[in-house]
Amino acid sequence: MKSAAPQRAANAPGRRFAVVLLALFLLVPLLPGEFWTVVGTEILILGLLAMSFNLLYGYMGQISFGHAAFFGLGAYATAMLFTALKSPDGSIGVPEFLLSLLVGPPVAAVGALIVGFFCVRLTGIYFAMLSLAFGELLFYIVFSWYSFTKGDDGIQGLLPPHYFQDPGNYYYLTLAIVVVALLVMWRITESPFGYIMRTLRDNQRRAAFLGINVRLHMLANFVIAGAFAGLAGALWGPFSRSVSPGLLGWQESGIAVFMTLIGGAGVFIGPIVGSVIYTMLQAVVKMYTVYWPLTIGTIILLIVLFVPGGVLGLVEKQIKARQGRLSDGGGARAGSDEE
Amino acid sequence: MTQSDRKWDKVINDLKLSRRDFVFSSVAAGVLTLTPRFVSAQAGAPYKLGVLLPSTGTGANYMAHCIKGLPVAIAELNKRGGLLGKHQIQMIYRDTETKPDVGAREAKSLILNDKVDAIFGTYSSAVALAIQEIIHEHKVLHFAATSNSSKITQDNYTPYTYQFCPDSNMQSGAVVVAVAKMAKKNGWKSYVSLGQDYEWGRDTHKGFTGSLAKVAADVKETRQLWFKLGETDFTSYITAIMAAKPDFMFGAIAGKDAETFLQQAGQMGLFKRVPFPGGLIAVNDLKAQRKTLPRGMIGLARCPFFAHLNEPIMQAYIKRDRAAFGADDYPDDWACMYYDALGGLEQGAKKAGSVSTEAIVKALKGATIDTCRGKRTFRDCSNQLEVPSYVGEVWDSPDYPFPIYKPDTMVVVEAKEVWTPTCAEVDKLKKKRA
């Protein structure tokens, strides 16, 4: 493990980039029209989903194709409580609205605990397939249970309180929640627990020899990732004004995978950057053509073939190469001084 | 022939080549919109029409003709000057992928970015319910013409939505009327239901079983079978139906799934053993399955062109679509209903004397409009157009290269016979909106 001081130094460019990104996010509602504010909100929510997915993929080394199930569970938990707390005239107060948001993460965490209990017994492709199977199972339950979830219809009428109906205000609420969530995630990934995750990613057998309870740590990470996905889902319902079973489906999970691959799984904020690229590209491409699946498929293909570390992975590589050249040059100069 | 006329003809000819690719069609409509030859001297602001239909996902095959046909119909309307003779319609298409969250996102994009004045769409009822939340919030006119869950005009009612196709209750009611007659004639006592496991399927099934129990209490449902959207193998369902040995079967199946089921069931000889009255067999099914569809089978349609050949609007519509897409390319039910929606928009603007949303909403309330299906009136309390459903026997006509419904077997069930009886009942279902 790295000691704290060099680690902080190594993280400095990333930290500066995060601050710049945050500043840019703060400015989004100042753009003319409401459209880009809405796109910005989507970037943040789906970015949080992708970040939570990366706790499993980038830090624990396991790919889940059923991660959106927890996004959907969070969305449905919020939608159901939201509907129950609405007054007879269809409106909802701010406290009730915030309370409905709070219920998303714990419900998703409970779901993740149950699913994770089975999934963490496997690794690699078996982990991926089992997570996919559970994801589809949850999707089908929500899709079919009409009396409880409204089935394929989904739940409509999730209009937030008047103040948050303004896209700018909802955006800033989302930004605040996502920033806090990312800070907590950062803290987790930089804690001893986070480094245990990296160890499990790199060599599970060695971790077990070191006395680490592999399954327990994997399960804890699975639940944490599920809870953050649930938080993203909780924000999605009132943003979209409705929820539907598709939120739990494998295609939604695929979006988190795409975003992570585009942004870079090896960098903490990679998935958020992936969300910026994916969501903005989608918004723009769909204005001109229906061939969005072809477009994103081509992009993913190019990324996997030529930029396997994602956009931020490439940037990080360039920075390290530059730092290496500078230190080599410095070393050479120092050497010549000595001569 | 002027240069503009040649340009117009070229565009129409080009459209013949396009399949479902609306892009070229939309561009054509846009080009025509910009052609000065067609713009009146008192040209007003363009009227932006967002079209939300799937070109991917289940239902894409049903929407293909709508997507390629709407730009042609719009181009023709624009040739007359557009809405009120001065507002050229600019069509902006988006693919909903038959997913509610995508539909809601694209509705927001159309409203906030493209600033559309109205939205036409969509195919799936679940998507329609999701976009209703967006259109109600932003007070945008919405014409639904395919998605037909009764919730769209009742439980999830918004004054901005107008419905141009018979709702799920009306359709299942129409099947009940037809089946009750057949059950009495053939002595049928039992049936098995097979449905798509989603809102429309459940809603249609519920409407059918409830209504049939009222008019033919001695006819019992012995088994329900539900399958997931996008099912590709119906073998187990078909064998289960055969094993149950019902007198007939009821189906709540649409889209690609209907096509797949009909093909597989036909091959396995299901329809020779179990009559299947009331399965949705629209014109596109009749065209696509012209060789395999069992003759004598009883189908249900929403807007079959052959039922209204005497209507001048239908005649003109058929003529134009055949000219644009080929002599065999008759409009299907879905394209027909969206054509009526476009006509409704034109007539609504004319009645209102304005293209403002509020004015059109007010003008169409309880209004009677001219459609492919004759003069039809919007129900005051739900904005549901008073349109019939059609039940008939699949039959080879000498006049068409595909089967149609045999004219003397076709039962046209009018809306008032089968829709939610009173406005008081409809109002009771409506949810409160903040």
Side-chain angles (χ1 to χ4, degrees), chain A residues 34 38 42 88 90 140 143 146 152-153 156-157 239 241 244 251 282 286-287 290, chain B residues 22 93-94 97 99 105-106 108 112-113 126 129 133 137 151 197-199 202 432:
Chain A
E34 292 175 340
V38 170
E42 195 173 328
Y140 197 72
F143 190 89
Y146 283 79
D152 176 66
D153 252 4
Q156 293 84 34
F239 164 66
R241 314 307 198 223
S244 61
Q251 287 176 316
Q282 185 182 40
K286 281 194 162 186
M287 287 178 198
V290 281
Chain B
F22 59 87
Y93 171 82
R94 295 290 167 78
E97 300 172 28
K99 294 176 189 164
R105 178 199 295 137
E106 294 308 322
K108 276 189 215 167
L112 297 175
N113 188 48
L129 292 167
E133 300 305 311
E137 185 181 352
K151 288 183 179 173
D197 196 3
Y198 83 119
E199 170 52 25
R202 294 270 175 182
K432 294 274 184 200

mmCIF file of all heavy atoms in Angstrom, chain A residues 34 38 42 88 90 140 143 146 152-153 156-157 239 241 244 251 282 286-287 290, chain B residues 22 93-94 97 99 105-106 108 112-113 126 129 133 137 151 197-199 202 432:
data_model
loop_
_atom_site.group_PDB
_atom_site.id
_atom_site.type_symbol
_atom_site.label_atom_id
_atom_site.label_comp_id
_atom_site.label_asym_id
_atom_site.label_seq_id
_atom_site.Cartn_x
_atom_site.Cartn_y
_atom_site.Cartn_z
ATOM 1 N N GLU A 34 -33.877 25.478 -20.853
ATOM 2 C CA GLU A 34 -33.891 24.486 -19.763
ATOM 3 C C GLU A 34 -33.344 23.131 -20.208
ATOM 4 O O GLU A 34 -33.073 22.267 -19.381
ATOM 5 C CB GLU A 34 -35.329 24.289 -19.274
ATOM 6 C CG GLU A 34 -35.901 25.519 -18.575
ATOM 7 C CD GLU A 34 -37.363 25.340 -18.220
ATOM 8 O OE1 GLU A 34 -38.034 24.470 -18.808
ATOM 9 O OE2 GLU A 34 -37.834 26.080 -17.354
ATOM 10 N N VAL A 38 -31.739 19.927 -17.948
ATOM 11 C CA VAL A 38 -32.354 18.595 -17.848
ATOM 12 C C VAL A 38 -31.326 17.519 -18.222
ATOM 13 O O VAL A 38 -31.200 16.496 -17.532
ATOM 14 C CB VAL A 38 -33.609 18.516 -18.763
ATOM 15 C CG1 VAL A 38 -34.118 17.090 -18.870
ATOM 16 C CG2 VAL A 38 -34.700 19.424 -18.231
ATOM 17 N N GLU A 42 -29.676 14.478 -15.856
ATOM 18 C CA GLU A 42 -29.571 13.079 -16.274
ATOM 19 C C GLU A 42 -28.121 12.599 -16.173
ATOM 20 O O GLU A 42 -27.868 11.464 -15.738
ATOM 21 C CB GLU A 42 -30.086 12.952 -17.704
ATOM 22 C CG GLU A 42 -30.358 11.523 -18.105
ATOM 23 C CD GLU A 42 -31.026 11.405 -19.466
ATOM 24 O OE1 GLU A 42 -31.798 12.305 -19.838
ATOM 25 O OE2 GLU A 42 -30.750 10.407 -20.148
ATOM 26 N N PRO A 88 -54.447 14.570 -1.247
ATOM 27 C CA PRO A 88 -55.542 14.201 -2.159
ATOM 28 C C PRO A 88 -55.571 15.019 -3.456
ATOM 29 O O PRO A 88 -56.061 14.545 -4.472
ATOM 30 C CB PRO A 88 -56.798 14.462 -1.317
ATOM 31 C CG PRO A 88 -56.331 14.354 0.087
ATOM 32 C CD PRO A 88 -54.924 14.840 0.114
ATOM 33 N N GLY A 90 -53.098 15.691 -5.234
ATOM 34 C CA GLY A 90 -52.020 15.223 -6.110
ATOM 35 C C GLY A 90 -50.678 15.879 -5.865
ATOM 36 O O GLY A 90 -49.682 15.505 -6.472
ATOM 37 N N TYR A 140 -38.582 -8.917 -13.702
ATOM 38 C CA TYR A 140 -39.806 -9.639 -14.020
ATOM 39 C C TYR A 140 -40.828 -9.535 -12.879
ATOM 40 O O TYR A 140 -42.038 -9.438 -13.134
ATOM 41 C CB TYR A 140 -39.501 -11.107 -14.342
ATOM 42 C CG TYR A 140 -40.655 -11.753 -15.059
ATOM 43 C CD1 TYR A 140 -40.929 -11.427 -16.389
ATOM 44 C CD2 TYR A 140 -41.505 -12.628 -14.407
ATOM 45 C CE1 TYR A 140 -42.017 -11.976 -17.042
ATOM 46 C CE2 TYR A 140 -42.591 -13.180 -15.061
ATOM 47 C CZ TYR A 140 -42.841 -12.856 -16.382
ATOM 48 O OH TYR A 140 -43.933 -13.387 -17.025
ATOM 49 N N PHE A 143 -42.284 -6.151 -13.219
ATOM 50 C CA PHE A 143 -43.057 -6.125 -14.465
ATOM 51 C C PHE A 143 -44.400 -6.826 -14.310
ATOM 52 O O PHE A 143 -45.405 -6.418 -14.907
ATOM 53 C CB PHE A 143 -42.222 -6.814 -15.554
ATOM 54 C CG PHE A 143 -42.758 -6.660 -16.946
ATOM 55 C CD1 PHE A 143 -42.388 -5.581 -17.735
ATOM 56 C CD2 PHE A 143 -43.626 -7.601 -17.487
ATOM 57 C CE1 PHE A 143 -42.870 -5.434 -19.021
ATOM 58 C CE2 PHE A 143 -44.111 -7.461 -18.777
ATOM 59 C CZ PHE A 143 -43.733 -6.375 -19.543
ATOM 60 N N TYR A 146 -48.758 -6.607 -10.786
ATOM 61 C CA TYR A 146 -49.627 -5.460 -11.068
ATOM 62 C C TYR A 146 -50.198 -4.809 -9.830
ATOM 63 O O TYR A 146 -50.252 -3.592 -9.714
ATOM 64 C CB TYR A 146 -50.764 -5.886 -12.002
ATOM 65 C CG TYR A 146 -50.304 -6.005 -13.422
ATOM 66 C CD1 TYR A 146 -49.598 -7.122 -13.850
ATOM 67 C CD2 TYR A 146 -50.533 -4.987 -14.338
ATOM 68 C CE1 TYR A 146 -49.146 -7.232 -15.139
ATOM 69 C CE2 TYR A 146 -50.076 -5.084 -15.635
ATOM 70 C CZ TYR A 146 -49.381 -6.210 -16.026
ATOM 71 O OH TYR A 146 -48.915 -6.303 -17.306
ATOM 72 N N ASP A 152 -46.302 -3.278 -16.019
ATOM 73 C CA ASP A 152 -45.673 -2.613 -17.150
ATOM 74 C C ASP A 152 -46.040 -1.131 -17.232
ATOM 75 O O ASP A 152 -45.277 -0.322 -17.766
ATOM 76 C CB ASP A 152 -46.112 -3.318 -18.434
ATOM 77 C CG ASP A 152 -45.576 -2.616 -19.658
ATOM 78 O OD1 ASP A 152 -44.351 -2.617 -19.832
ATOM 79 O OD2 ASP A 152 -46.376 -2.048 -20.419
ATOM 80 N N ASP A 153 -47.198 -0.790 -16.711
ATOM 81 C CA ASP A 153 -47.642 0.607 -16.690
ATOM 82 C C ASP A 153 -46.639 1.524 -16.011
ATOM 83 O O ASP A 153 -46.474 2.666 -16.381
ATOM 84 C CB ASP A 153 -48.923 0.696 -15.856
ATOM 85 C CG ASP A 153 -50.109 0.944 -16.724
ATOM 86 O OD1 ASP A 153 -49.932 0.964 -17.941
ATOM 87 O OD2 ASP A 153 -51.207 1.108 -16.164
ATOM 88 N N GLN A 156 -46.894 6.701 -12.430
ATOM 89 C CA GLN A 156 -46.797 8.071 -12.940
ATOM 90 C C GLN A 156 -47.168 9.077 -11.849
ATOM 91 O O GLN A 156 -47.524 8.697 -10.750
ATOM 92 C CB GLN A 156 -47.716 8.277 -14.150
ATOM 93 C CG GLN A 156 -47.328 7.489 -15.388
ATOM 94 C CD GLN A 156 -47.846 6.073 -15.376
ATOM 95 O OE1 GLN A 156 -48.926 5.820 -14.851
ATOM 96 N NE2 GLN A 156 -47.075 5.154 -15.916
ATOM 97 N N GLY A 157 -47.094 10.317 -12.218
ATOM 98 C CA GLY A 157 -47.534 11.386 -11.323
ATOM 99 C C GLY A 157 -46.534 11.744 -10.247
ATOM 100 O O GLY A 157 -46.911 12.195 -9.168
ATOM 101 N N PHE A 239 -37.491 13.099 -11.251
ATOM 102 C CA PHE A 239 -36.900 13.792 -12.406
ATOM 103 C C PHE A 239 -37.665 13.440 -13.678
ATOM 104 O O PHE A 239 -37.996 14.298 -14.488
ATOM 105 C CB PHE A 239 -35.421 13.390 -12.534
ATOM 106 C CG PHE A 239 -34.806 13.718 -13.861
ATOM 107 C CD1 PHE A 239 -34.629 15.041 -14.260
ATOM 108 C CD2 PHE A 239 -34.389 12.707 -14.730
ATOM 109 C CE1 PHE A 239 -34.069 15.345 -15.494
ATOM 110 C CE2 PHE A 239 -33.827 13.009 -15.952
ATOM 111 C CZ PHE A 239 -33.669 14.325 -16.339
ATOM 112 N N ARG A 241 -40.649 12.040 -13.676
ATOM 113 C CA ARG A 241 -42.094 12.127 -13.355
ATOM 114 C C ARG A 241 -42.770 10.762 -13.388
ATOM 115 O O ARG A 241 -43.986 10.681 -13.226
ATOM 116 C CB ARG A 241 -42.866 13.067 -14.286
ATOM 117 C CG ARG A 241 -42.257 14.431 -14.586
ATOM 118 C CD ARG A 241 -41.892 15.220 -13.334
ATOM 119 N NE ARG A 241 -41.714 16.629 -13.628
ATOM 120 C CZ ARG A 241 -40.723 17.374 -13.130
ATOM 121 N NH1 ARG A 241 -39.818 16.835 -12.322
ATOM 122 N NH2 ARG A 241 -40.650 18.654 -13.384
ATOM 123 N N SER A 244 -40.718 3.013 -14.523
ATOM 124 C CA SER A 244 -41.232 1.848 -15.238
ATOM 125 C C SER A 244 -40.253 0.690 -15.047
ATOM 126 O O SER A 244 -39.090 0.909 -14.693
ATOM 127 C CB SER A 244 -41.396 2.178 -16.720
ATOM 128 O OG SER A 244 -40.151 2.530 -17.271
ATOM 129 N N GLN A 251 -30.638 -3.709 -19.949
ATOM 130 C CA GLN A 251 -30.201 -2.626 -20.837
ATOM 131 C C GLN A 251 -29.789 -1.388 -20.041
ATOM 132 O O GLN A 251 -28.871 -0.677 -20.424
ATOM 133 C CB GLN A 251 -31.312 -2.293 -21.829
ATOM 134 C CG GLN A 251 -31.457 -3.377 -22.889
ATOM 135 C CD GLN A 251 -32.600 -3.117 -23.829
ATOM 136 O OE1 GLN A 251 -33.689 -2.742 -23.393
ATOM 137 N NE2 GLN A 251 -32.399 -3.336 -25.102
ATOM 138 N N GLN A 282 -25.760 11.260 -26.628
ATOM 139 C CA GLN A 282 -27.087 10.714 -26.906
ATOM 140 C C GLN A 282 -28.086 11.841 -27.222
ATOM 141 O O GLN A 282 -28.849 11.755 -28.177
ATOM 142 C CB GLN A 282 -27.584 9.915 -25.705
ATOM 143 C CG GLN A 282 -28.902 9.209 -25.950
ATOM 144 C CD GLN A 282 -29.387 8.472 -24.719
ATOM 145 O OE1 GLN A 282 -29.275 8.953 -23.602
ATOM 146 N NE2 GLN A 282 -29.912 7.301 -24.911
ATOM 147 N N LYS A 286 -29.385 11.967 -31.116
ATOM 148 C CA LYS A 286 -30.802 11.668 -31.352
ATOM 149 C C LYS A 286 -31.552 12.825 -32.007
ATOM 150 O O LYS A 286 -32.659 12.644 -32.492
ATOM 151 C CB LYS A 286 -31.476 11.257 -30.048
ATOM 152 C CG LYS A 286 -31.184 9.817 -29.675
ATOM 153 C CD LYS A 286 -32.112 9.351 -28.593
ATOM 154 C CE LYS A 286 -32.132 7.840 -28.526
ATOM 155 N NZ LYS A 286 -33.127 7.355 -27.575
ATOM 156 N N MET A 287 -30.944 13.999 -31.985
ATOM 157 C CA MET A 287 -31.578 15.127 -32.672
ATOM 158 C C MET A 287 -31.471 14.959 -34.193
ATOM 159 O O MET A 287 -32.222 15.559 -34.944
ATOM 160 C CB MET A 287 -30.883 16.437 -32.293
ATOM 161 C CG MET A 287 -31.179 16.919 -30.905
ATOM 162 S SD MET A 287 -30.227 18.426 -30.622
ATOM 163 C CE MET A 287 -30.272 18.510 -28.849
ATOM 164 N N VAL A 290 -31.800 8.303 -35.974
ATOM 165 C CA VAL A 290 -32.289 7.258 -35.074
ATOM 166 C C VAL A 290 -31.207 6.221 -34.818
ATOM 167 O O VAL A 290 -31.413 5.287 -34.062
ATOM 168 C CB VAL A 290 -33.508 6.504 -35.637
ATOM 169 C CG1 VAL A 290 -34.760 7.277 -35.459
ATOM 170 C CG2 VAL A 290 -33.293 6.062 -37.045
ATOM 171 N N PHE B 22 -37.610 7.218 -41.839
ATOM 172 C CA PHE B 22 -38.313 8.496 -41.775
ATOM 173 C C PHE B 22 -37.377 9.659 -42.017
ATOM 174 O O PHE B 22 -37.808 10.746 -42.328
ATOM 175 C CB PHE B 22 -38.884 8.663 -40.355
ATOM 176 C CG PHE B 22 -37.809 8.615 -39.379
ATOM 177 C CD1 PHE B 22 -37.118 9.722 -39.042
ATOM 178 C CD2 PHE B 22 -37.393 7.382 -38.896
ATOM 179 C CE1 PHE B 22 -36.043 9.632 -38.215
ATOM 180 C CE2 PHE B 22 -36.329 7.303 -38.088
ATOM 181 C CZ PHE B 22 -35.650 8.437 -37.741
ATOM 182 N N TYR B 93 -39.003 13.913 -35.706
ATOM 183 C CA TYR B 93 -39.239 12.536 -35.270
ATOM 184 C C TYR B 93 -38.216 12.080 -34.227
ATOM 185 O O TYR B 93 -37.039 12.408 -34.309
ATOM 186 C CB TYR B 93 -39.169 11.592 -36.473
ATOM 187 C CG TYR B 93 -39.190 10.141 -36.048
ATOM 188 C CD1 TYR B 93 -40.381 9.503 -35.760
ATOM 189 C CD2 TYR B 93 -38.000 9.432 -35.886
ATOM 190 C CE1 TYR B 93 -40.396 8.183 -35.334
ATOM 191 C CE2 TYR B 93 -38.003 8.110 -35.467
ATOM 192 C CZ TYR B 93 -39.206 7.497 -35.190
ATOM 193 O OH TYR B 93 -39.216 6.198 -34.757
ATOM 194 N N ARG B 94 -38.678 11.302 -33.245
ATOM 195 C CA ARG B 94 -37.775 10.654 -32.282
ATOM 196 C C ARG B 94 -38.234 9.216 -32.046
ATOM 197 O O ARG B 94 -39.438 8.958 -31.974
ATOM 198 C CB ARG B 94 -37.783 11.392 -30.929
ATOM 199 C CG ARG B 94 -37.235 12.799 -30.985
ATOM 200 C CD ARG B 94 -35.736 12.821 -31.229
ATOM 201 N NE ARG B 94 -35.252 14.139 -31.579
ATOM 202 C CZ ARG B 94 -35.052 15.116 -30.702
ATOM 203 N NH1 ARG B 94 -35.273 14.904 -29.428
ATOM 204 N NH2 ARG B 94 -34.620 16.275 -31.096
ATOM 205 N N GLU B 97 -38.038 3.743 -28.813
ATOM 206 C CA GLU B 97 -37.478 2.419 -28.543
ATOM 207 C C GLU B 97 -38.474 1.523 -27.792
ATOM 208 O O GLU B 97 -38.094 0.526 -27.193
ATOM 209 C CB GLU B 97 -36.159 2.520 -27.765
ATOM 210 C CG GLU B 97 -35.072 3.303 -28.499
ATOM 211 C CD GLU B 97 -33.839 3.572 -27.645
ATOM 212 O OE1 GLU B 97 -33.557 2.779 -26.734
ATOM 213 O OE2 GLU B 97 -33.172 4.590 -27.890
ATOM 214 N N LYS B 99 -39.766 2.174 -24.981
ATOM 215 C CA LYS B 99 -39.388 2.178 -23.565
ATOM 216 C C LYS B 99 -39.925 3.461 -22.918
ATOM 217 O O LYS B 99 -39.657 4.555 -23.419
ATOM 218 C CB LYS B 99 -37.865 2.168 -23.424
ATOM 219 C CG LYS B 99 -37.196 0.907 -23.907
ATOM 220 C CD LYS B 99 -35.695 1.083 -23.791
ATOM 221 C CE LYS B 99 -34.957 -0.054 -24.446
ATOM 222 N NZ LYS B 99 -33.550 0.275 -24.673
ATOM 223 N N ARG B 105 -37.926 10.886 -21.871
ATOM 224 C CA ARG B 105 -36.736 11.701 -22.146
ATOM 225 C C ARG B 105 -36.874 12.425 -23.495
ATOM 226 O O ARG B 105 -36.602 13.617 -23.608
ATOM 227 C CB ARG B 105 -35.494 10.816 -22.174
ATOM 228 C CG ARG B 105 -34.229 11.593 -22.503
ATOM 229 C CD ARG B 105 -33.127 10.689 -22.976
ATOM 230 N NE ARG B 105 -32.691 9.782 -21.920
ATOM 231 C CZ ARG B 105 -32.442 8.484 -22.097
ATOM 232 N NH1 ARG B 105 -32.599 7.947 -23.279
ATOM 233 N NH2 ARG B 105 -32.037 7.738 -21.103
ATOM 234 N N GLU B 106 -37.336 11.690 -24.498
ATOM 235 C CA GLU B 106 -37.464 12.289 -25.827
ATOM 236 C C GLU B 106 -38.585 13.335 -25.856
ATOM 237 O O GLU B 106 -38.490 14.320 -26.587
ATOM 238 C CB GLU B 106 -37.696 11.200 -26.883
ATOM 239 C CG GLU B 106 -36.514 10.255 -27.063
ATOM 240 C CD GLU B 106 -35.191 10.975 -27.297
ATOM 241 O OE1 GLU B 106 -35.166 11.995 -28.000
ATOM 242 O OE2 GLU B 106 -34.177 10.529 -26.738
ATOM 243 N N LYS B 108 -39.309 15.270 -23.364
ATOM 244 C CA LYS B 108 -38.671 16.469 -22.773
ATOM 245 C C LYS B 108 -37.787 17.161 -23.804
ATOM 246 O O LYS B 108 -37.781 18.378 -23.906
ATOM 247 C CB LYS B 108 -37.804 16.048 -21.583
ATOM 248 C CG LYS B 108 -38.554 15.904 -20.291
ATOM 249 C CD LYS B 108 -37.545 15.698 -19.177
ATOM 250 C CE LYS B 108 -38.065 14.778 -18.125
ATOM 251 N NZ LYS B 108 -37.072 14.310 -17.194
ATOM 252 N N LEU B 112 -38.484 20.905 -24.692
ATOM 253 C CA LEU B 112 -37.555 21.917 -24.180
ATOM 254 C C LEU B 112 -36.528 22.370 -25.216
ATOM 255 O O LEU B 112 -36.137 23.530 -25.245
ATOM 256 C CB LEU B 112 -36.824 21.383 -22.947
ATOM 257 C CG LEU B 112 -37.706 21.061 -21.742
ATOM 258 C CD1 LEU B 112 -36.882 20.427 -20.633
ATOM 259 C CD2 LEU B 112 -38.410 22.304 -21.226
ATOM 260 N N ASN B 113 -36.094 21.447 -26.049
ATOM 261 C CA ASN B 113 -35.049 21.810 -27.017
ATOM 262 C C ASN B 113 -35.638 22.218 -28.366
ATOM 263 O O ASN B 113 -35.281 23.254 -28.905
ATOM 264 C CB ASN B 113 -34.089 20.631 -27.197
ATOM 265 C CG ASN B 113 -32.896 21.007 -28.032
ATOM 266 O OD1 ASN B 113 -32.267 22.037 -27.798
ATOM 267 N ND2 ASN B 113 -32.584 20.213 -29.019
ATOM 268 N N ALA B 126 -47.695 1.984 -22.137
ATOM 269 C CA ALA B 126 -46.833 2.336 -21.006
ATOM 270 C C ALA B 126 -46.010 3.589 -21.333
ATOM 271 O O ALA B 126 -45.814 4.461 -20.480
ATOM 272 C CB ALA B 126 -45.900 1.179 -20.675
ATOM 273 N N LEU B 129 -48.370 6.644 -21.219
ATOM 274 C CA LEU B 129 -48.653 7.085 -19.849
ATOM 275 C C LEU B 129 -47.489 7.907 -19.299
ATOM 276 O O LEU B 129 -47.689 8.896 -18.592
ATOM 277 C CB LEU B 129 -48.924 5.870 -18.949
ATOM 278 C CG LEU B 129 -50.212 5.094 -19.241
ATOM 279 C CD1 LEU B 129 -50.225 3.758 -18.510
ATOM 280 C CD2 LEU B 129 -51.441 5.905 -18.870
ATOM 281 N N GLU B 133 -47.282 12.564 -18.508
ATOM 282 C CA GLU B 133 -46.838 13.384 -17.359
ATOM 283 C C GLU B 133 -46.076 14.615 -17.840
ATOM 284 O O GLU B 133 -46.196 15.694 -17.289
ATOM 285 C CB GLU B 133 -45.937 12.549 -16.439
ATOM 286 C CG GLU B 133 -46.603 11.313 -15.851
ATOM 287 C CD GLU B 133 -47.889 11.626 -15.118
ATOM 288 O OE1 GLU B 133 -47.885 12.544 -14.275
ATOM 289 O OE2 GLU B 133 -48.906 10.954 -15.387
ATOM 290 N N GLU B 137 -47.505 18.602 -17.815
ATOM 291 C CA GLU B 137 -46.726 19.609 -17.077
ATOM 292 C C GLU B 137 -46.385 20.807 -17.961
ATOM 293 O O GLU B 137 -46.420 21.954 -17.512
ATOM 294 C CB GLU B 137 -45.432 18.957 -16.561
ATOM 295 C CG GLU B 137 -44.609 19.867 -15.674
ATOM 296 C CD GLU B 137 -43.327 19.180 -15.209
ATOM 297 O OE1 GLU B 137 -43.150 17.984 -15.450
ATOM 298 O OE2 GLU B 137 -42.501 19.891 -14.612
ATOM 299 N N LYS B 151 -56.584 3.674 -19.669
ATOM 300 C CA LYS B 151 -56.064 4.600 -18.660
ATOM 301 C C LYS B 151 -55.649 5.935 -19.266
ATOM 302 O O LYS B 151 -55.627 6.955 -18.590
ATOM 303 C CB LYS B 151 -54.863 3.963 -17.946
ATOM 304 C CG LYS B 151 -55.262 2.848 -17.021
ATOM 305 C CD LYS B 151 -54.090 2.284 -16.282
ATOM 306 C CE LYS B 151 -54.549 1.169 -15.347
ATOM 307 N NZ LYS B 151 -53.436 0.467 -14.725
ATOM 308 N N ASP B 197 -47.906 -10.185 -21.353
ATOM 309 C CA ASP B 197 -47.899 -9.853 -19.926
ATOM 310 C C ASP B 197 -47.436 -8.417 -19.708
ATOM 311 O O ASP B 197 -46.339 -8.167 -19.233
ATOM 312 C CB ASP B 197 -46.995 -10.838 -19.182
ATOM 313 C CG ASP B 197 -47.256 -10.794 -17.691
ATOM 314 O OD1 ASP B 197 -48.167 -10.051 -17.288
ATOM 315 O OD2 ASP B 197 -46.560 -11.489 -16.937
ATOM 316 N N TYR B 198 -48.292 -7.503 -20.075
ATOM 317 C CA TYR B 198 -48.055 -6.083 -19.771
ATOM 318 C C TYR B 198 -49.393 -5.379 -19.776
ATOM 319 O O TYR B 198 -50.428 -6.005 -19.992
ATOM 320 C CB TYR B 198 -47.014 -5.471 -20.709
ATOM 321 C CG TYR B 198 -47.484 -4.998 -22.064
ATOM 322 C CD1 TYR B 198 -47.357 -3.665 -22.444
ATOM 323 C CD2 TYR B 198 -48.036 -5.888 -22.983
ATOM 324 C CE1 TYR B 198 -47.765 -3.228 -23.687
ATOM 325 C CE2 TYR B 198 -48.444 -5.452 -24.228
ATOM 326 C CZ TYR B 198 -48.310 -4.120 -24.575
ATOM 327 O OH TYR B 198 -48.716 -3.688 -25.807
ATOM 328 N N GLU B 199 -49.348 -4.076 -19.527
ATOM 329 C CA GLU B 199 -50.570 -3.342 -19.264
ATOM 330 C C GLU B 199 -51.660 -3.549 -20.317
ATOM 331 O O GLU B 199 -52.791 -3.881 -19.990
ATOM 332 C CB GLU B 199 -50.239 -1.844 -19.128
ATOM 333 C CG GLU B 199 -51.436 -0.913 -19.077
ATOM 334 C CD GLU B 199 -52.467 -1.286 -18.036
ATOM 335 O OE1 GLU B 199 -52.097 -1.948 -17.048
ATOM 336 O OE2 GLU B 199 -53.638 -0.926 -18.199
ATOM 337 N N ARG B 202 -53.069 -7.166 -20.202
ATOM 338 C CA ARG B 202 -53.886 -7.402 -18.995
ATOM 339 C C ARG B 202 -55.208 -6.636 -19.079
ATOM 340 O O ARG B 202 -56.268 -7.142 -18.718
ATOM 341 C CB ARG B 202 -53.109 -6.953 -17.756
ATOM 342 C CG ARG B 202 -51.864 -7.770 -17.479
ATOM 343 C CD ARG B 202 -52.174 -8.942 -16.581
ATOM 344 N NE ARG B 202 -51.006 -9.788 -16.399
ATOM 345 C CZ ARG B 202 -51.013 -10.902 -15.691
ATOM 346 N NH1 ARG B 202 -52.105 -11.314 -15.110
ATOM 347 N NH2 ARG B 202 -49.928 -11.630 -15.565
ATOM 348 N N LYS B 432 -56.260 12.789 -9.526
ATOM 349 C CA LYS B 432 -56.067 14.222 -9.270
ATOM 350 C C LYS B 432 -54.661 14.595 -9.730
ATOM 351 O O LYS B 432 -53.696 13.888 -9.436
ATOM 352 C CB LYS B 432 -56.208 14.523 -7.776
ATOM 353 C CG LYS B 432 -57.595 14.289 -7.240
ATOM 354 C CD LYS B 432 -58.480 15.498 -7.439
ATOM 355 C CE LYS B 432 -59.847 15.269 -6.804
ATOM 356 N NZ LYS B 432 -60.866 16.173 -7.342
#
